[in-house]
Amino acid sequence: MSTASRVLSGSAASWAQIGVTMVSQIALVPIYLSHWSVITYGIWLSTYALISILSIVDFGHQEFLGYEFLRIGKENNHELSNYLWSGIFINILINLAEVLLIVILINTNSLDFLISKAKNTDTTLIHDAGLVLLFQSFTWPVFGIAGIFFRALAPYGHSPRMFWWNFLTAIVNSAAPITAVIFGADLLTTGLITACAITIFNIPIYIDLFFLARKEKIKFSKPSWALGSYNFVRSLAIFGKVLLENVRQQGVRLFLAPLSGATGLVAFSTMRTGANVALQGLRTITNPLMPELVRFLHQRDQDRVDASFGIIWIMVVALIAPAIVVLQAVVEPLYTIWTRGQVPFDSLLFAILSLAILVYAVAQPAMAVVIGNNMLGPQVVLPALAAFIVIAGLFILVPSNGILGAGVALLLAEIAAAIGYKTVAKRWLETNDLRWPRQPFSIAVMSIWIAAFAMGAMTQLPHMKWMILLVAIALFSWNFWRYWQILPAFATKRIRKLLMNLPGARKMQPVDQLSD
């Protein structure tokens, strides 16, 4: 399979996954609020925020091994097998430690503070939330081993296949709890059904992984404690980075629960759904591109690096930024229907959260340079800075400004992180005889300014929102034209290639056959 075909197949799977996630998120809120109280739903959100935090050690270990597998490559099966099975052994130990931590949290009544601020919250709900945590922890070895295998098969060109498995997993992960709730399940039963469904669904995944590993001659290798523990210690930097990034992405829910209560958490989470959908849509482009971008960086191939950056930024300039502004104009009545009028809409908070996602999107190429080269120092320092800004902002701004203060804290953190990643990436590129694409980056940043102007004007002059929207669309069109004019020929050819190979479009030659 050619480079273009792999990227397209991975992107198609990722787009399918974002479609499932988007539909489930849109359907999720009214279904939950129709069958559960706001307090119960808030505790459910807090529980899953805590799950995402507790599983980060496991995820960071997997991410580190993934880049080690790409470094080793498919030419050295023996070394790759050693890393694979040593990593699986350490992964199981990590999961056991995580289960033990959850048991400690339950028995020390720590969940009362972590999950709900309200003093009159039913203790049965907190108890059930603890059991849901425990159920989910039992699935982590199932996910963890499969996740390591997924990454080990990436050097062999099987990433698109793994993305399709992730798509099907997203369906099960979304459908199981929603179906349970529709049929009258309470919080505890919903958590149990979700854990069982995911475990059962992983059976065919493991069968497929077994046959793929045998096809690629990836044999069992006796786990090495020395190698596994060495890689685990090195992966702690990734764990720290993911943990700190989670603070400003999903983990902020964990801090909002004790600061604003379950009701405030529900309001913030529902308001952020549109921004999360945009973020997931962005990842459908960046995730399939990452293995290729790392290869281009190592080859010092400036044209293909520019093309990869260009694909990400053109999504911001041409699609994500305009779509967010359009959504700002039409979202309020839809939001009221969607939440059944139980969660008030805050147009300014919605705009701030959307801007935070745009800043994060524009910083993606810089983050790809840092992450793809396993630059562990910046991956810890920069998320730590952003996490500090978020946490300090929450404690300073939320008591006086409510959940709007949480949105401001997130936006400030994203700006600080973006500046830091861009600085580090630019320095690395220059050190390695590459250059940072200054002009395309500036135009991508201009799309953020246009969106900020438009959404800010809409919040202050709602009666003029349609005129503001027309002006914004005109400015976005002008900015897109500027962006397209300065892209190098190779980048425009590659973007056209990817667009023409989308479903229903005319087939063309593979990207890696394009002339430079």
Side-chain angles (χ1 to χ4, degrees):
M1 183 182 288
S2 69
T3 296
S5 299
R6 286 196 299 269
V7 172
L8 284 168
S9 179
S11 295
S14 296
W15 276 110
Q17 184 175 346
I18 186 60
V20 170
T21 304
M22 183 169 60
V23 170
S24 66
Q25 286 186 347
I26 292 173
L28 180 145
V29 173
I31 290 176
Y32 278 133
L33 293 178
S34 295
H35 295 81
W36 287 353
S37 68
V38 174
I39 295 294
T40 302
Y41 180 42
I43 289 175
W44 175 264
L45 292 177
S46 297
T47 302
Y48 270 81
L50 187 55
I51 287 171
S52 69
I53 295 295
L54 293 175
S55 59
I56 287 177
V57 175
D58 187 2
F59 179 75
H61 181 237
Q62 291 178 42
E63 284 288 281
F64 178 83
L65 288 177
Y67 290 109
E68 288 298 293
F69 294 143
L70 290 174
R71 178 188 61 79
I72 294 169
K74 64 182 180 180
E75 294 78 15
N76 195 339
N77 279 36
H78 178 70
E79 184 180 4
L80 190 143
S81 295
N82 287 340
Y83 274 69
L84 169 65
W85 290 103
S86 299
I88 289 174
F89 171 67
I90 295 297
N91 182 85
I92 293 173
L93 295 181
I94 293 172
N95 294 147
L96 291 175
E98 290 167 338
V99 172
L100 178 61
L101 178 58
I102 290 175
V103 172
I104 293 173
L105 290 175
I106 293 173
N107 286 286
T108 56
N109 297 321
S110 300
L111 296 181
D112 291 13
F113 173 78
L114 292 174
I115 290 181
S116 178
K117 175 186 178 183
K119 295 181 180 179
N120 58 347
T121 301
D122 187 352
T123 55
T124 302
L125 281 177
I126 302 298
H127 175 266
D128 290 350
L131 292 178
V132 170
L133 273 174
L134 202 57
F135 295 154
Q136 286 297 315
S137 70
F138 293 148
T139 69
W140 290 342
V142 177
F143 276 119
I145 295 173
I148 293 175
F149 262 103
F150 278 15
R151 290 162 173 81
L153 288 166
Y156 299 89
H158 295 299
S159 292
R161 188 163 178 159
M162 301 303 104
F163 286 133
W164 281 112
W165 274 123
N166 286 337
F167 158 67
L168 295 175
T169 300
I171 293 179
V172 175
N173 210 22
S174 300
I178 291 176
T179 303
V181 170
I182 289 175
F183 282 93
D186 59 10
L187 187 143
L188 177 60
T189 306
T190 301
L192 177 60
I193 289 173
T194 303
C196 291
I198 288 297
T199 302
I200 294 171
F201 179 72
N202 269 269
I203 294 174
I205 294 179
Y206 273 88
I207 293 173
D208 188 46
L209 290 174
F210 171 78
F211 283 109
L212 285 176
R214 189 170 69 174
K215 174 186 175 182
E216 302 299 346
K217 298 181 174 58
I218 301 176
K219 299 179 181 179
F220 174 77
S221 176
K222 183 179 179 181
S224 166
W225 166 257
L227 177 61
S229 57
Y230 174 70
N231 284 332
F232 170 69
V233 171
R234 295 171 69 199
S235 77
L236 290 177
I238 304 296
F239 152 71
K241 169 236 177 188
V242 175
L243 173 64
L244 294 167
E245 284 193 341
N246 233 349
V247 170
R248 74 181 201 270
Q249 296 300 331
Q250 302 301 330
V252 68
R253 295 176 177 178
L254 198 60
F255 293 94
L256 268 183
L259 286 172
S260 65
T263 302
L265 176 60
V266 169
F268 182 85
S269 298
T270 52
M271 204 79 62
R272 202 180 181 193
T273 299
N276 284 339
V277 169
L279 173 63
Q280 292 159 9
L282 176 71
R283 286 173 177 166
T284 66
I285 299 297
T286 57
N287 288 351
L289 279 175
M290 181 62 80
E292 306 301 331
L293 176 58
V294 172
R295 180 162 61 89
F296 298 153
L297 289 170
H298 290 169
Q299 293 172 347
R300 308 296 189 264
D301 191 331
Q302 182 71 58
D303 286 337
R304 286 177 170 81
V305 169
D306 288 346
S308 299
F309 284 13
I311 291 171
I312 298 171
W313 282 332
I314 204 169
M315 288 292 295
V316 177
V317 173
L319 181 61
I320 298 178
I324 282 176
V325 173
V326 171
L327 186 60
Q328 179 78 29
V330 303
V331 69
E332 185 168 1
L334 300 175
Y335 181 88
T336 302
I337 297 172
W338 180 51
T339 60
R340 298 182 175 272
Q342 296 191 49
V343 183
F345 180 76
D346 186 328
S347 60
L348 182 56
L349 174 60
F350 189 87
I352 289 172
L353 292 175
S354 298
L355 285 175
I357 292 301
L358 280 180
V359 173
Y360 181 82
V362 170
Q364 284 298 292
M367 293 177 67
V369 172
V370 174
I371 295 170
N373 288 286
N374 259 350
M375 299 165 65
L376 301 182
Q379 289 187 68
V380 174
V381 173
L382 295 175
L385 172 63
F388 173 78
I389 294 173
V390 169
I391 295 173
L394 288 176
F395 282 96
I396 294 171
L397 299 174
V398 170
S400 57
N401 299 279
I403 56 176
L404 179 62
V408 173
L410 282 173
L411 178 57
L412 294 176
E414 291 298 347
I415 293 172
I419 293 172
Y421 276 113
K422 187 255 186 181
T423 301
V424 174
K426 182 173 182 290
R427 186 183 303 125
W428 185 91
L429 290 170
E430 292 173 349
T431 303
N432 290 273
D433 300 321
L434 294 168
R435 65 180 181 275
W436 176 259
R438 181 183 58 82
Q439 196 171 3
F441 173 72
S442 298
I443 295 175
V445 171
M446 177 59 71
S447 67
I448 300 178
W449 284 109
I450 296 172
F453 161 78
M455 291 190 290
M458 287 179 186
T459 61
Q460 299 302 312
L461 304 168
H463 59 285
M464 297 181 62
K465 66 179 180 181
W466 300 115
M467 182 180 297
I468 295 168
L469 179 61
L470 288 176
V471 173
I473 294 300
L475 290 173
F476 280 130
S477 300
W478 164 76
N479 204 43
F480 171 73
W481 178 83
R482 292 174 62 222
Y483 186 81
W484 190 261
Q485 294 302 310
I486 55 90
L487 281 177
F490 182 85
T492 57
K493 286 181 180 180
R494 180 164 188 179
I495 291 169
R496 286 194 183 102
K497 162 60 60 184
L498 291 173
L499 292 175
M500 291 301 294
N501 278 277
L502 290 174
R506 181 169 60 88
K507 295 292 182 183
M508 297 173 65
Q509 66 189 57
V511 169
D512 38 8
Q513 293 179 11
L514 288 172
S515 62
D516 292 348

